[in-house]
């Protein structure tokens, strides 16, 4: 069993980005600039945004954090999005989700200029992904593809089962794994809460990608010998022994599943660090105007 070390890979990718940025700046080019809008004080969002700002420093990017309280109006937020769209110095920006219930996430996403949509959520980027055109790819699926690539995990013709059909992970992951590419060329099945024979589907998977947000859902009896298991889940589960009062728990019951796997990602330290690095890669592409 090989443990897929997302932390180590992410550090390597950040070094590669930093070297490229240093080269761009040395040649008189513009330093890539990522902006982030954070609404309210959601614990998970605070942690993510802090990690993104730190990653920008490591990669040599300029970063701007724009904060609003959770009572900000939708119109005020959309006005800021339009302002960032028009700001020539900002190469890419994100609006950290989730947003308060009185704000339409879809409206915000669609207002972002797709050429600056480094989260890859705009319908134009999603549409381009679905037909295999260059685009900004949603960060978590992109990070998973990078791990498969760097660990040289063969995906061609393999049965890939994805648990979860979210717009952020499940759907784009399915599109990437079925494309004519390396990694890719897999036979993809997407399972969800309405799927029948979900256990049997999992047992047949050569590659199992769990992205349901249900802690310890995947047990040993659901995984075949030698499978590759990618755990996207990160749920805060109360744990009195931890200083924070919780521990991050994946969708896979790691201790019992790991011995059966050829490769497996841990939680934390697997897919998580790669998500942030994928955002950095998209920002570099935006800075270079490599896609649009």
């Amino acid at each position: 069993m090989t443990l897929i070390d997302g932390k180590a890979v992410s550090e390597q990718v950040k070094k590669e980005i930093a070297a490229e940025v240093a080269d761009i700046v040395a040649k008189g080019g513009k330093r890539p600039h990522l902006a982030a809008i954070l609404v309210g004080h959601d614990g998970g969002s605070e942690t993510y945004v802090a990690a993104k700002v730190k990653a920008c420093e490591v990669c040599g990017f300029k970063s701007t954090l724009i904060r609003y309280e959770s009572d900000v109006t939708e119109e005020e937020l959309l006005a800021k999005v339009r302002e960032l769209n028009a700001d020539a110095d900002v190469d890419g920006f994100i609006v950290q989700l989730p947003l308060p219930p009185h704000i339409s996430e879809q409206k915000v996403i669609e207002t972002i200029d797709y050429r600056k949509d480094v989260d890859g959520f705009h319908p134009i980027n999603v549409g381009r992904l679905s037909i295999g055109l260059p685009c900004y790819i949603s960060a978590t699926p992109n990070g998973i593809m990078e791990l498969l690539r760097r660990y040289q995990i063969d995906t061609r013709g393999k049965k890939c089962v994805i648990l979860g059909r979210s717009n952020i992970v499940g759907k784009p992951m399915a599109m990437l794994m079925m494309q004519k590419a390396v990694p890719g060329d897999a036979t993809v099945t997407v399972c969800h809460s309405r799927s029948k024979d979900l256990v049997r589907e999992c047992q047949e998977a050569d590659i199992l990608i769990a992205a349901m947000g249900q802690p310890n859902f995947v047990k040993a009896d659901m995984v075949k010998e030698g499978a590759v298991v990618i755990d996207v889940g990160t749920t805060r589960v109360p744990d009195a022994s931890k200083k924070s009062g919780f521990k991050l728990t994946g969708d896979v019951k790691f201790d019992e599943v790991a011995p059966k796997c050829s490769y497996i990602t841990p939680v934390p330290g697997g897919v998580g660090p790669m998500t942030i690095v994928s955002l950095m890669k998209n920002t570099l592409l935006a800075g270079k105007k490599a896609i649009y």
Side-chain angles (χ1 to χ4, degrees), residues 18-57:
E20 191 170 340
V21 170
D23 187 48
I24 289 167
V25 173
K27 289 175 176 161
K30 177 183 172 301
R31 193 177 289 284
H33 182 182
L34 174 70
I37 298 177
L38 180 58
V39 179
H41 299 276
D42 175 78
S45 294
E46 291 275 1
T47 307
Y48 271 124
V49 170
K52 287 165 183 174
V53 170
K54 197 171 160 213
C56 281
E57 281 171 32

Side-chain angles (χ1 to χ4, degrees), residues 275-292:
T275 296
I276 289 169
V277 137
S278 297
L279 179 67
M280 298 300 116
K281 285 178 70 176
N282 279 347
T283 302
L284 179 61
L285 290 171
K288 289 159 57 177
K289 306 279 187 278
I291 292 175
Y292 300 115

Side-chain angles (χ1 to χ4, degrees), residues 48 52 95-99 105-106 109 117-122 126 129 136-144 162-176 209 211-212 232 234 271 275 278 282:
Y48 271 124
K52 287 165 183 174
V95 179
Q96 185 65 39
L97 305 179
L99 292 169
E105 288 187 357
Q106 198 52 42
I109 288 166
D117 163 46
V118 284
D119 256 339
F121 295 161
H122 191 285
V126 176
L129 170 65
Y136 298 125
I137 298 168
S138 182
T140 301
N142 208 5
I144 293 167
I162 297 165
L163 299 178
R165 54 179 165 183
S166 72
N167 291 340
I168 292 175
V169 183
K171 288 177 190 167
M173 197 70 240
M175 288 191 279
L176 287 165
I209 300 171
M212 300 175 99
V232 184
T234 46
V271 173
T275 296
S278 297
N282 279 347

Side-chain angles (χ1 to χ4, degrees), residues 106-124:
Q106 198 52 42
K107 197 182 272 186
V108 170
I109 288 166
E110 289 185 32
T111 304
I112 295 170
D113 182 339
Y114 68 91
R115 293 165 297 191
K116 294 189 177 190
D117 163 46
V118 284
D119 256 339
F121 295 161
H122 191 285
I124 288 180

Side-chain angles (χ1 to χ4, degrees), residues 94-202:
I94 62 161
V95 179
Q96 185 65 39
L97 305 179
L99 292 169
H102 67 279
I103 296 173
S104 161
E105 288 187 357
Q106 198 52 42
K107 197 182 272 186
V108 170
I109 288 166
E110 289 185 32
T111 304
I112 295 170
D113 182 339
Y114 68 91
R115 293 165 297 191
K116 294 189 177 190
D117 163 46
V118 284
D119 256 339
F121 295 161
H122 191 285
I124 288 180
N125 281 311
V126 176
R128 289 175 68 96
L129 170 65
S130 72
I131 55 173
L133 290 176
C135 62
Y136 298 125
I137 298 168
S138 182
T140 301
N142 208 5
I144 293 167
M145 297 302 275
E146 191 69 30
L147 289 175
L148 295 173
R149 194 175 293 117
R150 300 221 174 203
Y151 276 83
Q152 297 180 334
I153 293 168
D154 188 15
T155 59
R156 290 167 304 172
K158 300 283 195 249
K159 171 153 182 176
C160 172
V161 172
I162 297 165
L163 299 178
R165 54 179 165 183
S166 72
N167 291 340
I168 292 175
V169 183
K171 288 177 190 167
M173 197 70 240
M175 288 191 279
L176 287 165
M177 288 299 282
M178 70 172 81
Q179 278 177 5
K180 285 184 186 174
V182 179
D185 273 336
T187 302
V188 180
T189 302
V190 179
C191 295
H192 45 78
S193 56
R194 295 282 179 270
S195 297
K196 290 190 168 64
D197 288 341
L198 192 137
V199 172
R200 189 174 57 81
E201 292 287 358
C202 292

